[in-house]
Amino acid sequence: MNLDFDAIVIGAGAAGLFCAGTAGARGRRVLLLDASARLAEKIRISGGGRCNFTNIHCTHHNFLSRQPEFCRQALARFSARDFIALVDKHGIAWHEKTLGQLFCDDSSQRIIDMLDRNAARAGVKRLMQCAIAAVAKDGDQFRIESTQGNFRAAKLVVASGGLSIPQIGASPFGYRLAEQFGLEVVAPRPGLVPLSMDPAWLARYGDLSGLSFPAEVHAPGAKFREQVLITHRGLSGPAILQASSYWQWQEGTKRPLEIDLMPEIDAHAWLRQLRAGGSRAGLAGALAQHLPRRLAQQLADGTPGAGRVAEMSNRTIDEVATSLQRWSIQPAGTLGYRKAEVTLGGVATEELDPVSLEARRVPGLHFIGEVVDVTGHLGGHNFQWAWSSGWCAGMAL
Ligand SMILES: Cc1cc2nc3c(=O)[nH]c(=O)nc-3n(C[C@H](O)[C@H](O)[C@H](O)COP(=O)(O)OP(=O)(O)OC[C@H]3O[C@@H](n4cnc5c(N)ncnc54)[C@H](O)[C@@H]3O)c2cc1C
């Protein structure tokens, strides 16, 4: 089959599906190709099957990128409000879970169906299980050789995502294609990923596996107040996932994270007040007023010389307060791409126009979604980037 199109979109995930539908609705003849058998698997498994499809507080401050302002224009041109309007138009019921995070009431499949129907209605031709063998540019035309035929178009959009969850088809395709055309790629690494701890830490805290508690996690350059979860491999939970994206942010530096177990109170003042009041409680009992009992016991057991609060020295109070509010955690590593929700890094934003997502040095070549060096916080921001960047490219095709 040899067919010509106005635009070819590679990757029928969140960004690619939305981009193809947007361009198709503007009368462009669009071909959408994907190597996987199943459509938009990441949308399907997202948000525990309910797709946290956007966040009402989404701004460029919710993203990591070498150029933190890059995503600002796209997010403004197609905002969370615009996507909510689309979801409402299609009668998809949703609710806010927490912190502005919007989820489908029913299932992620509703979002996939909406995007797929819109693309089909707009005349987009979609081919699945289409392995791409080669991409070349002849003059002003891109030529694609694939297992399903050879195709040509003046515009090529790369929406092949990042490296997270290779078991459902993630591939480095987009990075390799960018490099083929001489574009810089910021080294990818796993983001929003559980952290592993060393055997000594696990020997001490591993028994608390499954325990979850609210805390404020401080990473280099950011802090997050959400739940922390102790696992049999180390640490997870929303606050840790968020912090993980910043943990390796500066090349080569793996600075410890600090966890404030009592962000609502001044632990130092509280302990002194307890002592002054002649509290008969042991340290574990006192800590259990603010922490899960098992964690309180574990922390007290690890504090030499901590007997009853009433008898604690100034020095012990200082030490306990510091360990409560600046609990230093040195992760051994991350659980890698198999467990990471996103991939940090990607096609350097300096290479792209922030309005059209077109490569400045390769006319007609666009990169959208997670393949770009724009990575959101947990909570719907990554899908919003997929919608915003997909829409902007779709309007430029
Ligand atoms: C478990 C999990 C849960 C998540 N939950 C949320 C959430 O609730 N909210 C949120 O905002 N974000 C969530 N995310 C992140 C979100 O899914 C991604 O950021 C988003 O899907 C990125 O969209 P994309 O279109 O760029 O890439 P993808 O959706 O990953 O789509 C890329 C597409 O490209 C195709 N492809 C890859 N390589 C090739 C190739 N060589 N040839 C052809 N096609 C190829 C893939 O098959 C895929 O269909 C979650 C991620 C995971 C892993």
Side-chain angles (χ1 to χ4, degrees), residues 47-68:
R50 292 229 161 100
C51 188
N52 176 194
F53 57 82
T54 192
N55 189 301
I56 50 178
H57 306 306
C58 185
T59 72
H60 70 287
H61 296 297
N62 298 107
F63 292 85
L64 292 92
S65 169
R66 206 164 67 182
Q67 285 191 307

Side-chain angles (χ1 to χ4, degrees), residues 143-160:
R143 188 163 42 78
I144 312 277
E145 287 172 27
S146 83
T147 48
Q148 305 227 23
N150 300 335
F151 310 104
R152 294 161 64 86
K155 308 275 185 185
L156 177 63
V157 182
V158 181
S160 53

